[in-house]
């Protein structure tokens, strides 16, 4: 039975046409003759955003917008997500570039927008496993003129050990370039390397929780990926609202693997979860391995930066780990139940190793004061001499 959604999102993603640019893992499956969203549906979308105090994110395609559409868009606080060949003036544009045909052509497309202050720009760079060898060179060039570069893998489901090794090598090159820039007093952001430094809790995509998507057909979706996969994935429409089946599965509290993880920058993409594992709240091995590969480079970056910072400004250290997929060791058939329990407890405790014991006990007390009493009874119970 459908559950009514209780948490209000703060972002409305509006797909302006079937061929709108993809800014995430999914691929656009729009037809060659892409149709714009109807003006009446767009008007209702803008009204919905304003009424519910939502920030709007408009996904553009290659079709020029009529003046009426442009006026409606400018009436709400927003950002424009645009393909690399679209000309857009102003600071409310975020360009999406697909890394293809080598570094030089990609960089040429990155400079397609005139009259922009690229020192403050925010660019999305999508790439597939075939383009990994060009990644570091492209990113390092872009970072010279862009405040932030957001890396998005187009085909994470195809990543194996060879791709992970190649990706790690490229991230290492990107990290070293960031370290050099930081030492020179220049600050820039590469999402998969720098974001984790400043996070102390999960900061995921939040599809269905923090944002919803409205498609050109006037119907709501958890995110654009669900629309392009199948328009029947709708959760409602602009006229009557929406409901989400099993909405609790979207929440981190109901994701047993992710809620104990400290790869805080991970997108925790529910579309990939369902596509690769069949469960909204269960990540695939590829996603975990990619996120922990990125986390490891963030850890090295933090260590380097801290050498140049006074103690009061140092970044919280990121604990070392000896795994990429936390569930892989648990699948080892040679381990017995007791060994698996100890291993799993060790994995869960890793993110807490740098937290003082008093702080842990304080958090336990805030959650449930009775937990401390139970803990003392369990740990401090006198031994039973009759049975020992």
């Amino acid at each position: 039975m459908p559950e009514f959604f209780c948490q209000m999102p703060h972002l409305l993603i509006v797909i302006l046409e079937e061929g709108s640019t993809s800014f995430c893992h999914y691929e656009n499956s729009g037809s060659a003759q892409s149709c714009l969203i109807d003006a009446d549906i767009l008007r209702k979308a803008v009204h919905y955003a304003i009424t519910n105090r939502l920030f709007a994110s408009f996904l553009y395609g290659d079709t020029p917008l009529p003046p009426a559409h442009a006026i409606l868009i400018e009436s709400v606080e927003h950002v424009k997500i645009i393909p690399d060949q679209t000309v857009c003036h102003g600071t409310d544009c975020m360009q999406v570039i697909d890394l293809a045909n080598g570094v030089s052509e990609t960089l040429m497309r990155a400079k397609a927008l005139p009259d922009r202050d690229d020192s403050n720009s925010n660019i999305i760079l999508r790439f597939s496993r075939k383009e990994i060898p060009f990644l570091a060179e492209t990113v390092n060039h872009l970072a010279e003129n862009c405040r932030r570069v957001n890396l998005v893998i187009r085909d994470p489901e195809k990543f194996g050990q060879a791709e992970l090794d190649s990706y790690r090598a490229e991230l290492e090159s990107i990290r070293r370039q960031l370290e050099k820039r930081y030492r020179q007093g220049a600050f820039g952001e590469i999402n998969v390397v720098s974001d984790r430094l400043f996070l102390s809790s999960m900061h995921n995509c939040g599809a269905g929780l923090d944002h919803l998507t409205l498609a050109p057909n006037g119907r709501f979706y958890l995110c654009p990926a669900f629309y392009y996969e199948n328009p029947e994935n709708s959760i409602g429409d602009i006229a009557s609202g929406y409901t989400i089946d099993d909405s609790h599965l979207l929440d981190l509290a109901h994701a047993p693997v992710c809620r104990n993880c400290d790869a805080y920058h991970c997108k925790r993409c529910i579309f990939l979860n369902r596509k690769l594992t069949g469960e909204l709240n269960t990540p695939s091995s590829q996603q975990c391995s990619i996120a922990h590969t990125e986390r490891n480079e963030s850890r090295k970056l933090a260590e380097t930066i801290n050498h140049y910072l006074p103690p009061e400004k140092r970044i919280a250290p990121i604990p070392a780990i000896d795994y990429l997929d936390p569930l892989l060791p648990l699948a080892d058939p040679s381990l017995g139940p007791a060994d698996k329990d100890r291993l799993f407890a060790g994995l869960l405790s890793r993110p807490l190793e740098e937290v003082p014991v008093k702080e842990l006990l304080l958090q336990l007390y805030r959650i449930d004061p009775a937990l401390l009493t139970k803990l003392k009874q369990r740990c401090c119970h006198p031994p039973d001499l009759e049975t020992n």
Side-chain angles (χ1 to χ4, degrees):
M1 185 172 181
E3 288 186 20
F4 281 93
F5 197 66
C6 58
Q7 179 178 329
M8 200 56 196
H10 57 76
L11 172 66
L12 179 65
I13 299 173
V14 181
I15 303 174
L16 292 176
E17 63 172 289
E18 294 291 331
S20 291
T21 186
S22 169
F23 66 98
C24 201
H25 301 301
Y26 69 93
E27 293 301 327
N28 181 339
S29 57
S31 61
Q33 293 183 335
S34 185
C35 297
L36 285 174
I37 188 172
D38 183 79
D40 185 58
I41 294 176
L42 180 58
R43 185 177 299 106
K44 291 177 180 177
V46 169
H47 180 264
Y48 185 90
I50 294 174
T51 302
N52 292 283
R53 299 180 180 180
L54 304 180
F55 189 86
S57 179
F58 293 102
L59 303 188
Y60 281 64
D62 295 325
T63 306
L65 292 182
H69 282 59
I71 291 173
L72 284 170
I73 289 171
E74 296 303 326
S75 67
V76 63
E77 190 176 7
H78 71 278
V79 65
K80 301 177 178 74
I81 310 295
I82 60 173
D84 54 26
Q85 297 298 323
T86 300
V87 175
C88 179
H89 301 272
T91 58
D92 59 352
C93 300
M94 184 182 297
Q95 188 179 17
V96 180
I97 306 167
D98 279 1
L99 177 54
N101 300 324
V103 177
S104 59
E105 183 173 327
T106 301
L107 294 177
M108 286 179 61
R109 296 202 308 275
K111 298 177 180 178
L113 301 182
D115 302 327
R116 295 174 67 233
D117 181 5
D118 282 335
S119 63
N120 294 317
S121 62
N122 193 340
I123 285 181
I124 299 172
L125 180 66
R126 299 174 73 239
F127 66 97
S128 71
R129 60 192 177 113
K130 295 180 180 179
E131 286 101 38
I132 293 176
F134 309 107
L135 188 60
E137 185 179 357
T138 304
V139 170
N140 291 336
H141 278 292
L142 290 174
E144 292 178 0
N145 299 306
C146 300
R147 176 182 59 83
R148 179 178 173 86
V149 179
N150 302 278
L151 299 183
V152 176
I153 301 174
R154 296 170 57 183
D155 52 357
E157 70 277 7
K158 297 180 180 178
F159 268 51
Q161 190 58 52
E163 286 78 16
L164 284 172
D165 291 342
S166 179
Y167 186 44
R168 181 199 55 76
E170 294 297 301
L171 289 180
E172 181 179 4
S173 176
I174 293 170
R175 170 180 60 82
R176 292 186 182 280
Q177 188 64 26
L178 271 179
E179 291 171 353
K180 180 180 178 181
R181 295 185 66 204
Y182 289 170
R183 286 195 297 268
Q184 295 172 346
F187 184 77
E189 300 174 24
I190 311 296
N191 63 331
V192 298
V193 177
S194 58
D195 283 5
R196 174 60 181 80
L197 304 185
F198 310 104
L199 297 174
S200 57
S201 61
M202 277 295 183
H203 190 74
N204 312 131
C205 167
L209 292 172
D210 298 321
H211 61 85
L212 291 173
T213 292
L214 184 74
N217 58 11
R219 299 165 73 180
F220 285 118
Y221 297 84
L222 291 176
C223 79
F226 286 91
Y227 167 64
Y228 283 112
E229 179 193 50
N230 186 349
E232 295 305 313
N233 288 334
S234 171
I235 57 174
D237 60 69
I238 192 68
S240 57
Y242 62 91
T243 57
I244 301 177
D245 293 337
D246 299 320
S247 60
H248 64 283
L249 295 178
L250 303 177
D251 195 272
L252 183 64
H254 294 273
V257 177
C258 301
R259 71 186 180 204
N260 295 299
C261 178
D262 74 339
Y264 298 139
H265 71 291
C266 176
K267 288 183 179 294
R268 201 169 72 85
C269 175
I270 61 171
F271 175 73
L272 286 177
N273 287 356
R274 197 197 64 173
K275 178 180 178 181
L276 300 180
T277 71
E279 301 289 343
L280 287 173
N281 61 344
T282 304
S284 66
S285 177
Q286 295 97 321
Q287 291 167 266
C288 289
S289 297
I290 290 169
H292 284 91
T293 297
E294 296 163 348
R295 173 201 181 278
N296 288 344
E297 290 304 316
S298 297
R299 176 177 174 271
K300 296 173 184 176
L301 179 60
E303 289 180 342
T304 300
I305 291 176
N306 281 340
H307 285 306
Y308 301 93
L309 294 176
E312 67 275 10
K313 292 186 178 181
R314 286 177 183 167
I315 298 166
I318 301 173
I321 55 175
D322 55 8
Y323 62 88
L324 293 180
D325 179 357
L327 292 184
L328 196 58
L330 298 175
D332 187 347
S334 66
L335 294 178
D339 292 328
K340 289 185 178 181
D341 285 345
R342 281 192 292 271
L343 178 60
F344 194 62
L347 293 177
L348 297 186
S349 69
R350 286 287 172 78
L352 304 176
E353 289 177 352
E354 302 294 330
V355 181
V357 173
K358 287 185 178 180
E359 180 64 24
L360 286 176
L361 295 177
L362 176 61
Q363 295 302 327
L364 281 174
Y365 180 79
R366 287 173 175 170
I367 295 171
D368 183 358
L371 287 176
L372 285 183
T373 302
K374 295 176 182 178
L375 183 63
K376 286 191 291 184
Q377 289 173 344
R378 185 170 184 85
C379 295
C380 305
H381 196 281
D384 188 347
L385 299 179
E386 296 294 328
T387 58
N388 286 351

